[in-house]
Amino acid sequence: GGGAYLQGWAGGYPEIVKENELFERYYRELGIVPAGEWDAFMAALREPLPATLRITGYRSHAKEILHCLKEKYFRELQDLEVDGQKVEMPQSLSWYPEELAWHTNLSRKILRKSPQLEKFHQFLVSETECGNISRQEAVSMIPPLLLNVSPHHKILDMCAAPGSKTTQLIEMLHADMNVPFPKGFVIANDVDNKRCYLLVHQAKRLNSPCVMVVNHDASSIPNLQIDVDGRKEILFYDRILCDVPCSGDGTMRKNIDVWKKWTTQNSLQLHGLQLRIATRGVEQLAEGGRMVYSTCSLNPIENEAVIASLLEKSQGALELADVSSELPGLKRMPGITKWKVMLKDGQWFEEWKDVPSNRQTQIRPTMFPVKDEEKLKAMSLERCLRILPHHQNTGGFFVAVLIKKSPMPWNKRQPKVHQKLPQRTGDTEVTAASSGNGSDCVIEEPTLAENEESKKMQELQNSDTEQSKKEGVCGPPPSKKMKLFGFKEDPFVFLPEDDPLFLPIQKFYALDPSFPKMNLLTRTQEGKKRQLYMVSKELRNVLLNNSEKMKVINTGIKVWSRNSDGEQFGCAFRLAQEGIYTLYPFIHARIINVCIEDVKILLTQENPFLSKFSSETQKKVKDMAMGSIVLKYDPDPEKPDDLQCPIVLCGWQGKTSLRAFVPKNERLHYLRMMGVEVFKAKRKEEELENKTEEEVKHRLAQTEEGMDVEDKEHDLVTKMEAEIGEESSQSPVESSAMEIENKIEDLDQSSENASTCVSQESKDTAASNVKD
């Protein structure tokens, strides 16, 4: 699907000849474009794609960003002229709910030409870094919307990288901000280990305890088990997103190379894989569940042919949902029921029996339309939808929504009856000998990947697993072949029931008795625990029961970080900003309610003296022990011009000062939302580059202690983003609180205004590239 890369805001490409005779011949013949619209279709494909963005993050928060975009940035663009031309205003996508998606034709060149546009561009880049805005192709936003996600749904995203659709799904889980742990979760999978880290990076910006990133081949992703009231059961998903690898000919406006590389061969090669992935998806779908199949291709071989084969072999277990009334405002074409198959030399075949034997490896029977008119009619292929680029100035796209009515025929089996495994011949029919028909008791159990070899492996591992389960340790996966690619991941170790570590934390923050401490985990088996992470109890269930069959890349959000300075005040762990919105509802001590002026001071000054704050804040701090604190801002409905969504910040209270522990891009975000100008000229950054090496070395030595498993991911992600062109997001390395306390006397306190403070922040960032 669409990528979430911030490749500037338009492509500056050398001219590529946008001609492909075979492409035109193929699609003209298939008739996917309505009569009389062919020229408009081709012309649209030759135009660059407008940049589209989606406001991400959770509802109340997203509304504030939208308000800020419309009232401030778009207002400034309203009457702007660049080189005598009026700047085109960004437009919201009519079919995306609540105006949360926008498209704009502003090109990179124009963005550099005016300070207002430069400011707007910086806003976009910076907000993208902290995950509040996502650069995402308009059509790529459709599949998650059609999944109809509720917060209790168990969701599988089968081919998830780079993750813009995944983030949409995560947002839907957290539709109600007041529920810190929704019952549902997202398991995001990708076959490519490196791309998994990109996925982690995208998902992390949403700070959800309900996401897990795994690394498997989607066509044979293993069955997971969960514990249901002491019984082991197979995990079936309520919702599955199946956005398969495809030839990508719907992306020609963005990926210019498709023009010269396009041939029918790509589709012929991908069809089998697409069908296997989709089949594996429906096997793991719960009855009554929904699976959305999508591609960014226009080709029926990758689209209708896959859906028709799936429907045919499901023997009535699946049906296409009619989504014509969903997403009003989205212009779409119905799926087609007749198509032909073409070889790359331009030769056409109308049915399987015409294919010569030497071509029968390239062309498969499942690529042809269903002959039987009755059967074809029952499939309702017109319920699929195809998005054509010239209808709404988008990319090309295909979506089908499947609903599962009953178990797949090869998964029905009677208890205690030996079931033969499905026989596979190439990519054709998959059937299983199901002994005895019409039994009342049907148990469904997905079969693929449950072969003999893995059973033997399992028996060998079971003895170890039982042991490690008692200790609350998950993984790393014992099987050697899993470690051949990618990093060897650290294990996920849940905090033992009686871990002495937890008591001082519980006492210091007066955690609610309902706090689910069972869900706390670390990433080390030996040595000092540096970071505490947290997952929802449903994901804990998945982790504990599948450590040996699942290659987990990342899960959980950081909630506490070790800070040895805290020990003398009664708690060695300080709160981490990433997890504060999840943790906050359970904290009953060390909360200071601050007014908006206090928040501005906290976010613009490195380590402000207490005397700078409002008298109420000073009073509250007086009676509190030093150490980690929560700073909470609640909006005042009487003052509609002030920020109208609540903010929770992690802070540190020193002897004479109060500071916020918030990563730089998040600081800038909150300041922007409060209307503080944080536009910084490029010059400052150059001054920072010249920091002495001594300082840098000193800083690095200081942060060495705080590094953990995320750093290797971070280095990799930074490298990948450099390749892909997404701006990298770095958070400042936070120095130890005591060191700051001691330095505070020498700090020049005259830095009142935002810009000097922001530069102080960026110095920290420039000094080191480590992700806290």
Side-chain angles (χ1 to χ4, degrees):
Y5 318 130
L6 222 113
Q7 300 169 320
W9 280 75
Y13 294 98
E15 269 315 296
I16 280 182
V17 183
K18 296 180 181 175
E19 292 289 343
N20 187 315
E21 195 251 341
L22 194 68
F23 174 88
E24 292 210 35
R25 201 164 98 216
Y26 183 72
Y27 281 120
R28 255 186 204 269
E29 178 70 25
L30 290 179
I32 61 162
V33 177
E37 294 182 21
W38 182 261
D39 293 342
F41 167 72
M42 288 307 294
L45 284 180
R46 294 189 173 103
E47 284 296 307
L49 197 62
T52 41
L53 63 131
R54 196 169 59 75
I55 297 171
T56 55
Y58 307 133
R59 278 290 177 263
S60 63
H61 211 97
K63 290 224 167 73
E64 285 298 316
I65 296 165
L66 177 62
H67 180 75
C68 183
L69 255 182
K70 281 164 61 170
E71 296 307 306
K72 181 174 184 324
Y73 293 95
F74 293 167
R75 277 245 163 103
E76 289 182 359
L77 303 181
Q78 220 150 22
D79 304 303
L80 195 60
E81 290 198 356
V82 175
D83 298 346
Q85 255 192 319
K86 203 166 151 12
V87 168
E88 210 177 307
M89 288 293 288
Q91 300 295 317
S92 65
L93 300 178
S94 61
W95 48 267
Y96 200 97
E98 300 183 52
E99 286 193 299
L100 291 175
W102 293 75
H103 78 135
T104 159
N105 284 319
L106 299 172
S107 72
R108 237 191 203 153
K109 229 172 29 222
I110 292 183
L111 285 170
R112 294 214 184 90
K113 287 198 167 171
S114 114
Q116 281 95 334
L117 283 173
E118 172 84 54
K119 218 184 292 188
F120 175 50
H121 185 232
Q122 235 177 59
F123 168 78
L124 295 175
V125 170
S126 171
E127 290 296 313
T128 300
E129 277 182 15
C130 35
N132 297 315
I133 282 180
S134 166
R135 169 84 193 272
Q136 183 178 356
E137 239 194 277
V139 286
S140 140
M141 303 172 189
I142 298 168
L145 291 176
L146 289 178
L147 262 182
N148 282 359
V149 169
S150 295
H152 63 277
H153 283 150
K154 303 179 186 66
I155 307 167
L156 172 63
D157 187 348
M158 297 185 82
C159 312
S164 40
K165 296 184 186 77
T166 316
T167 46
Q168 258 178 296
L169 297 171
I170 299 168
E171 290 160 32
M172 294 168 182
L173 283 183
H174 292 272
D176 183 352
M177 273 299 282
N178 301 318
V179 181
F181 294 105
K183 285 203 159 50
F185 53 75
V186 175
I187 293 181
N189 173 66
D190 203 84
V191 65
D192 181 328
N193 183 271
K194 284 202 186 72
R195 280 167 60 97
C196 280
Y197 289 89
L198 200 51
L199 197 50
V200 167
H201 174 68
Q202 282 269 62
K204 261 210 176 114
R205 304 181 307 180
L206 286 172
N207 298 329
S208 165
C210 309
V211 189
M212 182 186 320
V213 174
V214 299
N215 180 198
H216 289 277
D217 170 357
S219 63
S220 58
I221 193 165
N223 296 327
L224 301 185
Q225 288 183 320
I226 45 172
D227 198 306
V228 181
D229 308 325
R231 276 195 327 280
K232 280 281 182 76
E233 289 189 5
I234 285 185
L235 169 59
F236 287 104
Y237 301 95
D238 303 299
R239 296 288 183 268
I240 294 182
L241 180 56
C242 183
D243 183 53
V244 294
C246 67
S247 65
D249 63 20
T251 66
M252 294 175 124
R253 301 180 64 176
K254 187 179 65 173
N255 302 325
I256 309 284
D257 335 347
V258 178
W259 281 97
K260 51 176 194 289
K261 291 188 181 154
W262 190 91
T263 141
T264 55
Q265 192 60 19
N266 304 346
S267 297
L268 300 179
Q269 284 168 347
L270 284 161
H271 169 90
L273 174 66
Q274 293 164 334
L275 182 52
R276 285 197 302 278
I277 294 175
T279 304
R280 188 64 191 127
V282 294
E283 289 185 320
Q284 295 193 304
L285 191 59
E287 283 179 53
R290 244 183 196 224
M291 180 170 98
V292 169
Y293 175 90
S294 61
T295 72
C296 40
S297 159
L298 297 168
N299 201 326
I301 305 298
E302 304 174 61
N303 297 332
E304 284 93 344
V306 172
I307 295 299
S309 310
L310 198 53
L311 288 169
E312 186 162 29
K313 67 178 173 183
S314 82
Q315 296 172 20
L318 299 174
E319 73 171 28
L320 276 170
D322 177 359
V323 290
S324 54
S325 58
E326 294 180 42
L327 306 188
L330 178 67
K331 298 203 175 100
R332 57 198 103 187
M333 294 297 296
I336 61 177
T337 52
K338 295 273 183 277
W339 60 89
K340 297 186 289 189
V341 180
M342 183 204 255
L343 283 174
K344 66 172 180 214
D345 58 14
Q347 193 182 353
W348 288 101
F349 296 101
E350 301 230 3
E351 46 185 319
W352 170 244
K353 68 173 172 37
D354 305 339
V355 180
S357 55
N358 64 344
R359 295 294 192 190
Q360 291 188 355
T361 47
Q362 281 176 306
I363 297 183
R364 305 298 307 147
T366 49
M367 295 175 182
F368 291 90
V370 175
K371 300 284 297 179
D372 181 334
E373 289 294 329
E374 285 289 283
K375 249 187 188 173
L376 189 61
K377 209 172 147 208
M379 285 183 178
S380 310
L381 286 177
E382 70 286 347
R383 291 180 173 177
C384 300
L385 49 130
R386 188 178 263 97
I387 309 290
L388 297 178
H390 62 293
H391 283 167
Q392 261 166 329
N393 197 2
T394 61
F397 209 69
F398 174 88
V399 192
V401 182
L402 291 155
I403 291 176
K404 185 168 179 180
K405 315 295 277 181
S406 60
M408 303 309 289
W410 59 92
N411 286 137
K412 294 181 183 181
R413 61 167 199 169
Q414 285 62 37
K416 302 184 189 61
V417 174
H418 179 69
Q419 181 206 22
K420 285 203 200 114
L421 277 172
Q423 304 304 311
R424 304 204 114 213
T425 51
D427 295 323
T428 52
E429 288 305 271
V430 178
T431 50
S434 172
S435 43
N437 37 11
S439 148
D440 321 8
C441 176
V442 172
I443 296 176
E444 173 167 16
E445 198 167 302
T447 49
L448 290 169
E450 296 283 280
N451 50 22
E452 288 311 303
E453 182 202 3
S454 70
K455 289 229 167 61
K456 285 199 198 90
M457 286 289 291
Q458 205 108 28
E459 280 151 26
L460 285 173
Q461 289 160 3
N462 278 352
S463 45
D464 310 342
T465 320
E466 286 315 307
Q467 191 42 45
S468 63
K469 197 155 315 131
K470 289 194 190 84
E471 296 154 16
V473 175
C474 304
S479 88
K480 280 282 181 292
K481 59 172 190 267
M482 304 272 274
K483 284 176 199 162
L484 292 177
F485 49 99
F487 298 120
K488 177 182 164 301
E489 286 299 325
D490 298 78
F492 296 87
V493 188
F494 283 91
L495 223 55
E497 190 62 47
D498 48 0
D499 196 314
L501 197 81
F502 186 68
L503 257 141
I505 295 180
Q506 191 169 18
K507 227 170 92 186
F508 192 70
Y509 298 104
L511 294 179
D512 198 88
S514 71
F515 177 75
K517 65 172 181 181
M518 307 273 295
N519 305 356
L520 286 174
L521 60 93
T522 59
R523 298 291 305 264
T524 45
Q525 254 166 307
E526 300 87 39
K528 238 179 176 184
K529 300 182 170 69
R530 303 221 172 278
Q531 320 282 354
L532 294 179
Y533 300 89
M534 192 153 197
V535 292
S536 66
K537 77 169 194 296
E538 287 75 12
L539 268 192
R540 174 182 194 271
N541 191 342
V542 175
L543 268 169
L544 279 175
N545 286 297
N546 302 281
S547 57
E548 61 296 327
K549 42 160 68 166
M550 207 170 47
K551 187 169 184 221
V552 180
I553 300 293
N554 199 290
T555 190
I557 45 169
K558 188 193 301 180
V559 282
W560 279 289
S561 265
R562 183 178 288 278
N563 184 331
S564 340
D565 304 331
E567 238 156 306
Q568 49 195 315
F569 316 122
C571 183
F573 283 86
R574 69 168 180 79
L575 298 161
Q577 183 67 30
E578 292 99 297
I580 195 62
Y581 286 94
T582 302
L583 214 48
Y584 173 75
F586 299 101
I587 298 177
H588 293 309
R590 308 199 58 76
I591 296 174
I592 295 174
N593 286 86
V594 287
C595 63
I596 198 149
E597 294 313 315
D598 288 343
V599 179
K600 286 178 188 168
I601 291 168
L602 283 162
L603 294 176
T604 51
Q605 297 182 31
E606 188 53 28
N607 203 356
F609 284 119
L610 288 174
S611 54
K612 296 263 173 96
F613 294 95
S614 66
S615 50
E616 290 92 81
T617 299
Q618 291 184 50
K619 262 198 227 82
K620 288 176 202 146
V621 172
K622 245 211 203 70
D623 314 322
M624 225 178 260
M626 284 168 67
S628 186
I629 51 168
V630 178
L631 300 150
K632 173 86 174 3
Y633 160 76
D634 281 307
D636 180 350
E638 304 287 297
K639 300 181 182 160
D641 292 344
D642 281 359
L643 182 67
Q644 285 302 305
C645 71
I647 293 184
V648 185
L649 306 175
C650 291
W652 183 271
Q653 182 197 331
K655 273 201 287 290
T656 53
S657 67
L658 197 56
R659 69 181 308 231
F661 261 138
V662 181
K664 172 190 167 192
N665 49 23
E666 222 172 305
R667 280 183 185 226
L668 295 180
H669 161 72
Y670 286 132
L671 287 169
R672 241 185 242 113
M673 294 301 112
M674 293 186 294
V676 176
E677 190 56 77
V678 286
F679 178 62
K680 56 180 191 309
K682 294 272 184 277
R683 269 197 325 282
K684 295 227 174 75
E685 298 192 350
E686 282 146 31
E687 293 164 23
L688 307 179
E689 299 301 312
N690 308 328
K691 264 197 131 183
T692 67
E693 261 171 54
E694 281 316 295
E695 279 181 82
V696 173
K697 281 188 188 132
H698 172 67
R699 269 315 270 279
L700 279 172
Q702 294 253 303
T703 55
E704 207 51 49
E705 182 202 17
M707 285 177 68
D708 79 341
V709 24
E710 291 172 23
D711 301 324
K712 59 186 180 191
E713 288 169 20
H714 183 251
D715 298 338
L716 190 89
V717 167
T718 311
K719 205 170 103 213
M720 286 182 66
E721 287 176 342
E723 290 165 20
I724 291 175
E726 178 167 2
E727 314 267 339
S728 152
S729 74
Q730 309 160 354
S731 39
V733 173
E734 298 162 351
S735 1
S736 115
M738 285 307 273
E739 170 214 348
I740 297 254
E741 271 297 286
N742 305 337
K743 267 198 325 205
I744 190 170
E745 271 70 49
D746 332 327
L747 252 183
D748 172 19
Q749 284 296 325
S750 65
S751 64
E752 294 281 9
N753 62 351
S755 64
T756 54
C757 165
V758 167
S759 80
Q760 174 67 43
E761 274 286 352
S762 15
K763 274 185 200 158
D764 295 358
T765 315
S768 156
N769 202 2
V770 174
K771 195 172 198 187
D772 174 28

